[in-house]
């Protein structure tokens, strides 16, 4: 069928089954927006900043597992989208971003709103395309979606010069893709898997190290099955919260810089690390030479470049976690679970010695209490997004995440301003679910214009602002490592949160007591409108345990014990 | 254990002919802090692919990462980390015509080369040989006051 490039873009989005596109128009992309106006195969949401559009598409992708789509114009539209691309890239999120570009004849002339989008985005996309002819456009669109979701997923940018969106060409959306130079490995090598199984059977202190790759691969059920069958204890990374399930007796907790005592000690003492879709990030490992010092390492990862990048690996298995576990689990029928009994008991004792805890207060709301309370009130049904800072770590530590894709946060890039727009994407994908963004008084302002978007499109996400009147995480480092010189982190000057939310068409709640917290949350859920819950929390609470950057995992700063708990 | 010492390595990268493929390869080196000692690129006859030869150096671990990261680039078809290879490099050197031309041509002949152009004031010689021998040739050529030296970068083929 003959059609314009702009129509092809819409047809491809429809053919890919995308229901919601997030974006912002401008000169170079106007033909595409004209076609969006005419079609009804998908809805378009006008965010109030391109960064938010990309984060929203990202949140949609993380919540559903499908490719998220964002659309922006050339020049500043594209540069505003870069943080969104980088955020998705670091966490391997499948996404296609379509950007307008100046007409082909103007490329290279410093034309109005011309910027080298493929050049800028090269290091923060899985791949990118500058479309050069109308003939290649259908194939490029198909490949973009394919590359985004296959192998190790990631964001793909398609930069389309304006004249190509006007050109007429033949459109037949390709059924399949053949890129001879791109053939991801999904099946793990059987021989390697067998060797790894032997290692598991002869280990005394094995440990499952579960990363975000298990979420991307939808491997949660298999991971739980592996743990259950072998009775091997497990630790989750920040990106894997929810995979094992909140009440799973084999789950020790989260490991890393703000991991709990038992998890970090387990990693320090294990004799066999079974890494599933994790990538040994420095926030997880601490000092590398001390990390899992006594252990052999099984490393399952779809990206060969992740394997042996940071630690030496004894049993490398390149493949999709799901496919590898499907082969591995049956080989473990005769595993002797008693073998690990002594190890489980040691870890249990560690957890009793220093449980994940905090000292609650009757005078002021503790941020950890607020998160636990959220867990009690909305629990497994809600989707939780977060921004970046202390609130993010407390959420990861204290919320009872019970299923994968319940917890959506920017782990790799650590992007403040991610949570609110990502929540919009998640809520659009699952309108029946309560979606809560746990945020701070710093982060929320970095995309607060989305109040308007949320009000206009009636996307009722709840922003719980754990308000410590500080850039709390930076303040914490200043307390510990900069002799309390609070350089540019004091946020005593505050907006009127309630008025701000209301001015944009939302609801605001000022919360200072536990009773008010419960009441505000109940009302927010009932009102079904975007809201800011401004929760005053104590200013100087620290995220603990903490492994100072570059320190060994077993050297943790631990929380004070609760009264009466000293043994 | 990975060796910490730096070693020289030659890597061949077979890529699909696409507009920005060379930029992707070099940006990867720049962005991840890897060294490029020399780089050559040319189309592979009778195909829609090109052959990039990169001489680099780094620890075993770094070289391993380089090959893996290169392989991750979508248009990269094949990465060959050369072990047993024939490696050649070319150099063009311009000498003043007043120098001892017979000495120069004997020197070039000793390094598998010769005079390729003679002008009014200059002669141009060409030598193609192993990179180490090219280095020696250039050292020896200093005696004859070369006015310009252009090295070509290595190409390699696995034996
Ligand atoms: C875009 C961006 N800028 C700066 C930082 C550095 N940073 C990390 S945490 C943090 C403080 C966040 O403050 P707030 O949102 O109030 O959360 P809190 O730590 O107080 O819970 C800052 C500035 C970042 N992660 N992202």
């Amino acid at each position: 069928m003959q059609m314009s490039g702009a129509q092809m873009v819409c047809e491809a989005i429809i053919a890919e089954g995308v229901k919601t596109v997030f974006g912002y128009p401008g000169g170079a992309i106007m033909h595409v927006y004209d076609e969006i106006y005419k079609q009804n195969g998908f809805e378009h949401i006008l965010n109030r900043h391109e960064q938010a559009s990309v984060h929203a598409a990202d949140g949609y992708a993380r919540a559903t597992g499908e490719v998220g789509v964002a659309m922006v114009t050339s020049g500043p539209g594209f540069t505003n989208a870069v943080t969104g691309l980088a955020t998705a890239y670091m966490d391997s999120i499948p996404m296609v971003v379509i950007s307008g570009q100046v007409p082909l004849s103007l490329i290279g002339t410093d034309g109005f709103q011309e910027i080298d989008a493929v050049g800028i985005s090269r290091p923060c996309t899985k791949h990118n395309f500058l479309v050069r002819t109308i003939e290649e456009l259908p194939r490029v669109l198909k490949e973009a979606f394919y590359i985004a979701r296959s192998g190790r997923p990631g964001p793909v940018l398609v930069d389309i010069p304006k004249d190509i969106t006007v050109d007429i060409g033949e459109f037949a959306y390709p059924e399949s893709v053949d890129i001879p130079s791109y053939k991801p490995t999904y099946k793990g090598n059987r021989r390697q898997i067998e060797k790894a199984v032997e290692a598991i059977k002869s280990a005394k202190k094995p440990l499952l190290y579960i990363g975000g790759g298990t979420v991307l691969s939808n491997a949660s059920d298999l991971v739980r099955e592996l743990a259950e069958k072998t009775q091997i204890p497990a630790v989750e990374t920040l990106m894997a919260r929810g995979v094992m399930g909140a009440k799973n007796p084999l789950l020790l907790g989260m490991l890393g810089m703000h991991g709990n005592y038992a998890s970090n000690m387990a990693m320090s003492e294990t004799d066999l690390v079974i890494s599933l879709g994790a990538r040994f990030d420095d926030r997880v490992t601490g000092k590398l030479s001390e990390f899992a010092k006594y252990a052999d390492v099984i490393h399952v990862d779809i990206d060969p470049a992740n394997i042996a990048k940071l630690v030496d690996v004894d049993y490398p298995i390149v493949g999709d976690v799901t496919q590898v576990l499907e082969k591995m689990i049956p080989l473990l029928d005769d595993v002797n679970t008693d073998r690990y009994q002594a190890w489980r008991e040691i870890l249990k004792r560690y957890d009793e010695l220093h449980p994940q805890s905090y000292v609650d207060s009757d005078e002021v709301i503790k941020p950890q209490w607020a998160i636990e309370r959220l867990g009690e009130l909305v629990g497994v049904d809600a989707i939780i997004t977060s921004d970046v800072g202390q609130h993010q770590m407390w959420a990861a530590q204290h919320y009872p995440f019970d299923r994968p894709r319940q917890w959506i946060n920017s782990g790799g890039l650590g992007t403040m301003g991610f949570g609110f727009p990502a929540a919009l994407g998640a809520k659009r994908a699952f309108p029946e679910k309560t979606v809560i963004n746990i945020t701070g008084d710093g982060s929320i302002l970095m995309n607060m214009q989305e109040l308007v978007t949320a009000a206009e499109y009636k996307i009722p996400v709840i922003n719980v602002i754990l308000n410590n009147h500080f850039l709390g995480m930076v303040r914490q480092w200043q307390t510990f490592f900069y002799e309390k010189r609070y350089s540019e982190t004091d946020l005593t000057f505050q907006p009127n949160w309630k008025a701000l939310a209301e001015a944009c068409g939302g609801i605001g709640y000022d919360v200072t007591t536990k009773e008010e917290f419960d009441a505000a949350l109940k009302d927010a859920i009932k009102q079904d409108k975007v809201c800011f819950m401004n929760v005053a929390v104590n200013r100087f609470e620290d995220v603990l345990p903490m492994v100072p950057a570059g320190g060994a995992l077993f050297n943790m700063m631990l929380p004070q014990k609760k009264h009466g708990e000293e043994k | 254990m990975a060796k910490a010492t730096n070693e020289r390595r030659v890597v061949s990268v077979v890529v699909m002919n696409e507009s920005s493929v060379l930029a992707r390869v070099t940006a990867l080196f720049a962005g991840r802090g890897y060294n490029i000692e020399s780089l050559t690129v040319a189309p592979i006859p009778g195909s829609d692919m090109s052959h990039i030869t990169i001489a680099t150096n780094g620890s075993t671990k770094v070289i391993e990462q380089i090959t893996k990261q290169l392989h991750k680039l979508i248009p990269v078809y094949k990465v060959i980390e050369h072990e047993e290879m024939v490696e050649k490099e070319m150099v063009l050197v311009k000498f003043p015509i007043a120098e001892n031309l017979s000495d120069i041509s004997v020197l070039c002949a000793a390094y598998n080369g010769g005079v390729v152009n003679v002008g009014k004031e200059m002669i141009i010689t060409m030598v193609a040989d192993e990179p180490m021998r090219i280095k020696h040739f250039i050292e020896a050529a200093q005696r004859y006051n070369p006015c310009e030296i252009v090295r070509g970068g290595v190409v390699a083929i696995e034996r």
Side-chain angles (χ1 to χ4, degrees):
Chain A
M1 206 164 76
Q2 295 281 307
M3 62 176 74
S4 70
Q7 268 177 295
M8 290 182 187
V9 171
C10 294
E11 289 300 324
I13 290 170
I14 295 167
E16 293 290 344
V18 178
K19 294 279 167 286
T20 308
V21 170
F22 302 87
Y24 208 101
I29 192 89
M30 279 188 68
H31 287 290
V32 179
Y33 272 88
D34 195 43
E35 291 304 328
I36 289 177
Y37 186 86
K38 296 181 206 158
Q39 60 79 44
N40 53 19
F42 59 88
E43 67 162 348
H44 178 279
I45 295 202
L46 177 73
N47 298 89
R48 293 319 199 252
H49 191 299
E50 289 89 349
Q51 183 192 351
S53 297
V54 183
H55 289 330
D58 179 327
Y60 178 94
R62 291 184 203 234
T64 60
E66 284 150 31
V67 180
V69 176
M71 201 173 288
V72 300
T73 191
S74 68
F78 163 75
T79 53
N80 274 348
V82 171
T83 301
L85 284 168
T87 303
Y89 180 70
M90 291 295 282
D91 290 341
S92 309
I93 304 304
M95 197 161 74
V96 170
V97 175
I98 292 167
S99 55
Q101 182 54 280
V102 300
L104 275 174
S105 58
L106 277 182
I107 289 182
T109 65
D110 303 315
F112 176 63
Q113 297 196 327
E114 181 191 357
I115 197 79
D116 176 8
V118 288
I120 290 177
S121 63
R122 201 171 287 133
C124 59
T125 51
K126 180 173 174 186
H127 193 53
N128 58 20
F129 296 91
L130 170 61
V131 180
R132 284 162 191 276
T133 62
I134 185 75
E135 287 74 31
E136 70 175 4
L137 182 58
R139 176 183 59 81
V140 164
L141 290 166
K142 179 76 189 182
E143 286 184 2
F145 279 92
Y146 173 75
I147 291 170
R149 70 161 74 87
S150 57
R152 179 180 182 179
V156 177
L157 176 82
V158 182
D159 197 34
I160 313 179
K162 186 171 185 176
D163 41 349
I164 291 178
T165 63
V166 189
D167 285 352
I168 305 288
E170 176 62 25
F171 183 78
Y173 199 56
E175 298 262 297
S176 62
V177 171
D178 179 38
I179 311 170
S181 57
Y182 176 66
K183 306 271 180 221
T185 311
Y186 291 98
K187 293 195 192 106
N189 178 293
R190 172 160 286 277
R191 188 72 205 98
Q192 286 296 101
I193 294 173
E194 284 167 4
K195 281 194 208 159
V197 164
E198 287 316 308
I200 292 172
K201 286 179 186 166
S202 56
K204 289 207 182 83
K205 302 172 167 185
L207 183 67
L208 294 171
Y209 163 40
I210 300 165
T214 60
V215 178
L216 299 169
S217 163
N218 297 316
S220 172
D221 288 345
L222 287 166
V223 172
R224 291 183 193 193
E225 192 186 329
L226 174 69
E228 170 68 20
K229 184 170 190 174
T230 57
Q231 292 295 303
I232 295 175
V235 295
E236 288 174 347
T237 68
L238 175 67
M239 301 312 290
R241 297 304 268 154
V243 168
M244 286 288 286
K247 287 181 221 66
N248 196 317
L250 290 162
L251 177 67
L252 299 168
M254 178 172 77
L255 86 164
M257 180 174 274
H258 294 296
N260 62 331
Y261 184 76
S263 295
N264 285 347
M265 291 311 288
M267 189 51 92
S268 303
E269 295 182 4
T270 174
D271 64 359
L272 181 69
V273 177
I274 305 161
S275 171
L276 305 174
R279 61 182 179 86
F280 301 81
D281 182 89
D282 55 276
R283 285 290 187 269
V284 163
T285 61
K287 189 176 183 179
L288 263 181
S289 57
E290 296 293 331
F291 178 78
K293 204 175 176 176
Y294 308 105
D296 280 351
V297 177
I298 298 172
H299 192 169
V300 182
D301 202 301
I302 195 155
D303 180 359
N306 267 350
I307 292 179
K309 178 171 65 177
L310 294 155
V311 301
D312 293 331
V313 171
D314 305 272
Y315 307 93
I317 301 174
V318 178
D320 173 35
V321 182
T322 295
Q323 297 203 17
V324 171
L325 290 185
E326 278 169 355
K327 281 190 198 159
M328 186 183 274
I329 291 171
L331 299 177
L332 284 158
D333 282 345
D334 57 344
V335 69
N336 175 8
T337 60
D338 291 343
R339 219 183 139 75
Y340 321 129
Q341 179 61 27
W343 170 230
R344 286 190 298 267
E345 270 161 26
I346 293 172
L347 296 176
K348 194 161 157 249
R349 247 175 285 134
Y350 280 149
D351 199 45
E352 285 160 5
L353 191 63
H354 297 290
Q356 183 75 61
S357 68
Y358 65 97
V359 182
D360 202 8
S361 158
D362 295 329
E363 278 99 61
V364 56
I365 294 181
K366 286 289 183 100
Q368 302 94 326
W369 175 87
I371 285 166
E372 282 181 359
R373 190 69 189 140
L374 277 180
E376 287 160 14
L377 295 174
V378 293
V380 64
D381 292 329
I383 293 175
I384 307 293
T385 69
S386 93
D387 273 303
V388 172
Q390 293 184 307
H391 59 274
Q392 174 192 26
M393 291 301 126
W394 284 316
Q397 291 176 332
H398 294 277
Y399 195 91
F401 295 109
D402 210 28
R403 59 187 168 85
R405 302 193 185 281
Q406 187 186 9
W407 164 237
I408 292 174
N409 82 128
S410 165
L413 197 68
T415 309
M416 290 171 68
F418 170 79
F420 188 8
L424 298 184
K427 180 74 182 175
R428 213 52 174 181
F430 293 102
E432 75 291 355
K433 286 209 185 303
T434 300
V435 177
I436 298 179
N437 174 34
I438 297 177
T439 178
D441 49 323
S443 295
I444 188 63
L445 293 181
M446 284 206 181
N447 265 319
M448 68 170 194
Q449 78 286 345
E450 292 311 301
L451 274 169
V452 182
T453 315
E456 180 190 347
Y457 291 92
K458 303 195 168 35
I459 313 178
V461 308
I462 300 170
N463 291 282
V464 175
I465 304 169
L466 298 179
N467 191 343
N468 49 17
H469 291 60
F470 266 124
L471 294 174
M473 186 56 94
V474 184
R475 191 281 306 152
Q476 175 170 340
W477 284 51
Q478 289 169 332
T479 303
F480 291 160
F481 312 120
Y482 295 87
E483 297 171 321
K484 304 191 180 175
R485 289 183 297 278
Y486 296 128
S487 175
E488 303 299 320
T489 47
D490 191 319
L491 299 183
T492 305
F493 186 89
Q494 296 249 322
N496 179 332
W497 298 97
K498 192 166 180 305
L500 179 60
E502 286 167 358
C504 298
I507 310 179
Y509 304 90
D510 287 318
V511 171
T512 52
T513 65
K514 292 178 175 174
E515 294 69 36
E516 286 171 359
F517 186 90
D518 282 13
L521 186 69
K522 274 184 196 128
D523 193 62
I525 292 169
K526 194 172 86 212
Q527 294 278 347
D528 221 18
K529 246 185 175 182
V530 62
C531 76
F532 275 2
M533 252 175 80
N534 168 36
V535 183
V537 298
N538 62 321
R539 293 198 79 193
F540 285 95
E541 191 73 15
D542 294 317
V543 182
L544 294 170
M546 177 172 188
V547 179
L553 272 192
F554 51 82
N555 280 332
M556 282 163 271
M557 303 159 88
L558 291 163
Q560 221 181 310
K561 293 206 171 176
K562 286 182 200 175
H563 297 299
E565 201 184 66
E566 275 83 4
K567 294 206 171 83
Chain B
M1 263 316 279
K3 253 192 283 168
T5 53
N6 270 18
E7 56 178 297
R8 182 173 175 280
R9 265 307 164 103
V10 179
V11 181
S12 280
V13 192
V14 178
V15 298
M16 315 298 288
N17 283 338
E18 286 182 9
S19 52
S20 60
V21 61
L22 186 60
R24 287 183 206 283
V25 169
T26 52
L28 190 147
F29 275 76
R32 291 188 179 260
Y34 308 144
N35 296 320
I36 296 182
E37 187 188 287
S38 86
L39 182 147
T40 59
V41 51
I44 298 176
S47 79
D48 54 359
M49 293 191 230
S50 285
H51 191 120
I52 303 176
T53 314
I54 304 170
T56 179
N57 54 64
S59 65
T60 316
K61 207 158 189 148
V62 167
I63 303 281
E64 186 184 326
Q65 267 297 304
I66 291 177
T67 11
K68 285 176 170 176
Q69 294 291 348
L70 281 169
H71 208 88
K72 259 175 87 168
L73 297 176
I74 307 287
V76 167
Y77 185 69
K78 201 155 75 173
V79 184
I80 308 153
E81 198 190 314
H82 289 294
E83 302 273 348
E84 294 281 312
M85 62 179 163
V86 172
E87 191 189 356
K88 294 286 174 193
E89 182 174 357
M90 192 189 95
V91 63
L92 294 171
V93 187
K94 204 187 267 178
F95 296 98
I97 201 118
E99 291 295 325
N100 185 334
L101 298 188
S102 56
D103 278 14
I104 290 175
S105 66
V106 169
L107 175 67
C108 292
Y111 285 94
N112 289 323
V115 176
V116 291
N117 186 278
V118 182
K120 265 204 202 106
E121 289 167 8
M122 303 283 170
I123 66 156
I124 299 171
T125 62
M126 183 197 79
V127 160
D129 212 326
E130 270 122 49
M132 191 47 105
R133 302 220 343 127
I134 293 292
K135 190 171 153 259
H136 292 157
F137 168 74
I138 292 170
E139 279 162 17
Q142 295 306 321
R143 237 173 299 152
Y144 307 102
N145 303 308
C147 16
E148 207 179 330
I149 301 175
V150 180
R151 288 179 77 155
V154 300
V155 290
I157 199 160
E158 197 69 8
R159 278 201 286 219

